[in-house]
Amino acid sequence: MLLSEQEILRRQKRDDLIKMGIEPYPAEAYPVNAYADDISKNYENRKIDYKSVSMAGRLMGFRIMGSAAFAEFQDSTGRIQLYFRRDDLCPGEDKTLYNTVFKKLLDIGDIIGVKGFVFTTQTGEISVHVQEFTLLNKALRPLPIVKRDEDGKVHDGFTDPELRYRQRYVDLIVNPEVRDIFVKRARIISTMRSYFDTRGWLEVETPVLQSIHGGAAARPFTTHHNALDMGLYLRIATELHLKRLIVGGFEGVYEFGKLFRNEGMDRTHNPEFTTVELYVAYQDYLWMMEMTEQLLEKVALAVNGTTKAHFGAVELDFAGPYPRLSITDAILQYTGLNVDTLDEAAIRAQCREWGMEVDESMGKGKLIDEIFGEKVEANIIQPTFIIDHPVEMSPLTKKHRSKPGMVERFELFVNGKEIANAYSELNDPIEQKARFEDQLKLKERGDDEAMEMDEDFIRSLEYGMPPASGIGIGIDRLTMMLTNNASIQEVIFFPQMRPEKKVELAKDADYLAAGVPAVWIPALQKLNIHTIEQLKSANPNKVFNDLGGIRKKLKIEEKMPSLEMVKDWTTA
């Protein structure tokens, strides 16, 4: 294990605490009766309530001034200043708790409990005068230091996306604004849940492992069940199981859950993502559009206090009603191409003329969908319903009541991205089976996103499913729009990432090849230089000085190498 100088020092401090009889990781519960945000907001009006506070959180900075010190303290709600005074902490002769434990053995990042009272400093800053503190956790890794000026601007921040997403726990500690994103995400979900529950719709759970993947056009992840000795899929949608519950007699059901699609990753796609799907009996897609407008207006108000949300330079407005535009009219409006009058071959030819990648496996419906994605969707900024899609692209949707070849479906687009997808649900089992058979033909043509035949779902429809409408809403993308984040990785706690590259420790032969005599290899390793990259990036003067000290500890009788020799070792 490679340890930095700071990590080695913190481990030594941990050992020193233990030798002093102080447990660095105590088991006892610590009482908490006050929080930083509550104190900051209410102290001036309720000073009497803060004469005795007990708080727990993380040290984020120190200013030690001899027998007194200030520290920045962060709990789950925010930050507040602490004031420490040696004689308050150590009223007797023994000043070890302040002089040694506090000043020498505590570090930024350590978690402590404090008891004391709230007061206002001469500069007007609300602070906690600490009369007692307890170490609750000794942090063994240093936090990145994020500097903020008087205007709140960040300098030297923890901003590398690779590190932030991989070490989200550090991101949440040092970047408070990240915490706010996930608080708003939780509020989106809780507002939706409340809206659904007040209407009597039931929250349910359906299987993640499925023997047939269905409910969407997407490539699935596969896995294997050892006990049953059978292949399974991670679900790509919750639709077909939720509709079975409508067959079973529930009038409205919904599910928040993870879906999994084995496809590409970019700023708006993660292979594991969160949706809510809702199905309501005796309704259609026209009713669902009105419900969606009401729902998202409430969500926007709950998250930001207004129906408006800033996304980059754009101001989005989630107040309804939203414009409604058929997919073919949208294509005509933004490209001048009337796909209603063209057959599959003509549409494919036009796609190729535009330089789009299309092939013979794509039917007319999929070609129309590709044109919309390539040429149209980026132009749709304000919330807009794209309605009435081709039947080929909507195998689970009821045929349009007045437009041949189309189905009663809408997709909600915001800022060029699909946020929701909804139908008047197909409930004719004969028609549904024929649609599945059409999907199998597309699969035979090479469309690996086409749906499988689900015989049990057909059987459920044969028992009778009432007219119904259903919708799926992407929680991740909606959160992006409402929190002004252009990357889906910003709104998922732990986005999918490639495995970390493991550091390869240098072998003796590697040190020798770098010019290090064998006798000095153990010394360098003791100095925590375990890779040639570390050696080449080391300060030769520091290495030379440190070797002098470690030479005595290891009892190396060899004459010290010259500074010039050490410089040769560290030369890139």
Side-chain angles (χ1 to χ4, degrees):
M1 181 179 179
L2 299 180
L3 296 177
S4 68
E5 185 176 345
Q6 266 286 324
E7 289 168 328
I8 292 171
L9 181 59
R10 285 177 180 238
R11 280 161 171 76
Q12 291 173 349
K13 291 182 179 182
R14 172 189 175 276
D15 294 342
D16 291 342
L17 288 164
I18 293 172
K19 290 174 184 176
M20 294 175 67
I22 298 174
E23 172 54 60
Y25 309 100
E28 298 86 353
Y30 192 85
V32 174
N33 65 14
Y35 294 89
D37 185 61
D38 177 63
I39 294 172
S40 299
K41 289 178 178 177
N42 300 309
Y43 173 67
E44 293 298 340
N45 297 320
R46 291 169 30 204
K47 292 184 178 181
I48 196 169
D49 294 337
Y50 302 102
K51 292 295 184 182
S52 178
V53 299
S54 181
M55 307 174 70
R58 196 181 294 271
L59 289 169
M60 300 300 292
F62 290 99
R63 282 179 290 142
I64 296 175
M65 300 167 289
S67 62
F70 287 97
E72 189 173 15
F73 177 84
Q74 177 173 290
D75 65 13
S76 61
T77 67
R79 297 189 181 191
I80 195 167
Q81 181 172 264
L82 303 182
Y83 173 68
F84 296 82
R85 187 168 171 269
R86 182 177 61 196
D87 291 342
D88 291 333
L89 295 172
C90 312
E93 294 293 324
D94 185 0
K95 307 297 183 182
T96 303
L97 183 63
Y98 181 84
N99 289 341
T100 302
V101 178
F102 178 77
K103 289 177 67 174
K104 297 179 180 179
L105 299 181
L106 292 191
D107 292 293
I108 292 174
D110 288 351
I111 298 172
I112 64 170
V114 298
K115 294 179 181 179
F117 60 89
V118 180
F119 74 108
T120 305
T121 66
Q122 292 180 347
T123 60
E125 184 167 356
I126 296 173
S127 307
V128 177
H129 187 128
V130 178
Q131 296 170 303
E132 176 186 327
F133 80 87
T134 304
L135 178 63
L136 301 178
N137 183 284
K138 179 64 188 172
L140 300 184
R141 286 179 181 263
L143 290 171
I145 303 300
V146 178
K147 299 176 184 175
R148 287 178 168 81
D149 60 25
E150 294 180 355
D151 298 324
K153 294 182 180 178
V154 175
H155 304 276
D156 300 323
F158 185 60
T159 57
D160 183 345
E162 173 81 11
L163 289 175
R164 288 183 52 241
Y165 303 153
R166 199 178 294 283
Q167 299 179 28
R168 181 68 85 184
Y169 38 88
V170 177
D171 191 28
L172 291 166
I173 294 170
V174 301
N175 293 322
E177 63 277 5
V178 174
R179 182 190 300 262
D180 294 340
I181 293 170
F182 291 98
V183 170
K184 289 182 176 180
R185 179 189 172 106
R187 195 169 296 144
I188 289 170
I189 293 172
S190 63
T191 302
M192 288 184 169
R193 180 175 281 118
S194 175
Y195 183 92
F196 297 157
D197 288 346
T198 57
R199 282 150 183 80
W201 303 330
L202 184 69
E203 183 170 9
V204 299
E205 294 177 305
T206 60
V208 172
L209 295 175
Q210 301 180 352
S211 58
I212 298 173
H213 66 89
R219 287 189 292 272
F221 285 94
T222 60
T223 187
H224 187 81
H225 192 299
N226 291 335
L228 297 177
D229 191 23
M230 64 182 291
L232 291 170
Y233 301 101
L234 298 185
R235 67 185 180 192
I236 60 174
T238 55
E239 177 168 348
L240 300 187
H241 282 87
L242 291 174
K243 286 183 183 177
R244 287 172 168 93
L245 299 180
I246 297 295
V247 172
F250 291 106
E251 189 159 318
V253 293
Y254 70 93
E255 179 175 9
F256 288 94
K258 292 284 190 182
L259 303 183
F260 308 86
R261 297 183 183 177
N262 196 359
E263 299 173 341
M265 294 172 59
D266 57 32
R267 293 174 68 81
T268 60
H269 293 86
N270 195 67
E272 174 185 356
F273 59 99
T274 303
T275 68
V276 60
E277 289 197 35
L278 164 74
Y279 294 83
V280 182
Y282 310 113
Q283 303 295 351
D284 64 8
Y285 84 137
L286 299 175
W287 172 88
M288 186 63 81
M289 280 188 261
E290 294 178 359
M291 190 284 298
T292 303
E293 291 166 345
Q294 295 169 13
L295 174 67
L296 296 187
E297 185 171 325
K298 285 184 178 295
V299 167
L301 284 167
V303 171
N304 292 323
T306 173
T307 61
K308 296 179 180 179
H310 290 279
F311 191 87
V314 176
E315 183 179 74
L316 305 171
D317 193 347
F318 286 88
Y322 305 157
R324 303 179 184 186
L325 188 63
S326 76
I327 190 169
T328 54
D329 286 345
I331 291 172
L332 180 62
Q333 177 177 325
Y334 288 102
T335 71
L337 185 69
N338 188 347
V339 293
D340 285 329
T341 63
L342 301 177
D343 61 15
E344 178 183 314
I347 295 174
R348 184 179 291 107
Q350 180 61 62
C351 289
R352 286 174 173 159
E353 186 175 325
W354 280 332
M356 294 171 55
E357 292 185 11
V358 296
D359 56 49
E360 301 303 317
S361 73
M362 297 179 179
K364 181 176 180 178
K366 189 157 189 177
L367 291 169
I368 289 173
D369 190 58
E370 290 289 316
I371 292 172
F372 179 82
E374 182 80 16
K375 299 291 185 179
V376 179
E377 64 180 40
N379 298 293
I380 302 172
I381 304 303
Q382 295 301 324
T384 301
F385 293 122
I386 300 299
I387 65 174
D388 304 344
H389 293 238
V391 67
E392 298 95 328
M393 288 303 295
S394 312
L396 301 167
T397 313
K398 190 167 285 188
K399 285 184 177 177
H400 201 283
R401 63 196 76 177
S402 62
K403 294 183 180 180
M406 295 293 173
V407 294
E408 295 194 347
R409 172 186 177 185
F410 72 79
E411 291 178 311
L412 175 63
F413 278 83
V414 181
N415 202 45
K417 300 299 177 184
E418 179 196 343
I419 300 297
N421 186 24
Y423 317 145
S424 294
E425 302 296 338
L426 178 58
N427 59 348
D428 178 346
I430 303 300
E431 175 68 17
Q432 183 63 82
K433 186 170 185 177
R435 298 277 193 91
F436 279 144
E437 289 170 346
D438 289 341
Q439 287 289 297
L440 294 177
K441 292 175 184 176
L442 290 174
K443 187 173 285 290
E444 290 172 1
R445 291 173 61 176
D447 187 348
D448 58 0
E449 293 186 350
M451 292 187 194
E452 301 279 355
M453 175 69 73
D454 190 332
E455 296 285 0
D456 180 69
F457 178 64
I458 299 296
R459 178 169 56 195
S460 73
L461 294 184
E462 290 173 347
Y463 282 98
M465 185 178 87
S469 183
I471 187 170
I473 300 174
I475 299 298
D476 307 312
R477 287 189 181 176
L478 180 59
T479 305
M480 291 169 62
M481 300 302 165
L482 290 174
T483 61
N484 193 17
N485 279 289
S487 171
I488 196 171
Q489 286 81 12
E490 293 288 349
V491 302
I492 297 175
F493 269 129
F494 304 105
Q496 196 69 41
M497 302 190 72
R498 296 185 186 277
E500 269 187 282
K501 292 182 179 178
K502 291 186 177 180
V503 176
E504 293 291 334
L505 300 183
K507 299 180 176 61
D508 286 359
D510 299 321
Y511 290 105
L512 293 171
V516 180
V519 68
W520 296 109
I521 293 175
L524 290 177
Q525 292 171 335
K526 193 69 175 177
L527 293 174
N528 210 37
I529 298 176
H530 293 283
T531 71
I532 300 304
E533 289 74 16
Q534 287 178 321
L535 179 62
K536 297 301 182 184
S537 62
N539 182 312
N541 293 308
K542 185 177 187 308
V543 173
F544 177 78
N545 291 331
D546 289 346
L547 281 176
I550 206 70
R551 175 172 173 263
K552 294 179 181 178
K553 288 184 180 180
L554 297 181
K555 298 179 180 179
I556 298 174
E557 296 181 0
E558 185 80 10
K559 181 182 176 182
M560 271 290 292
S562 66
L563 177 58
E564 291 304 317
M565 181 182 291
V566 174
K567 286 181 178 179
D568 289 340
W569 302 349
T570 59
T571 301

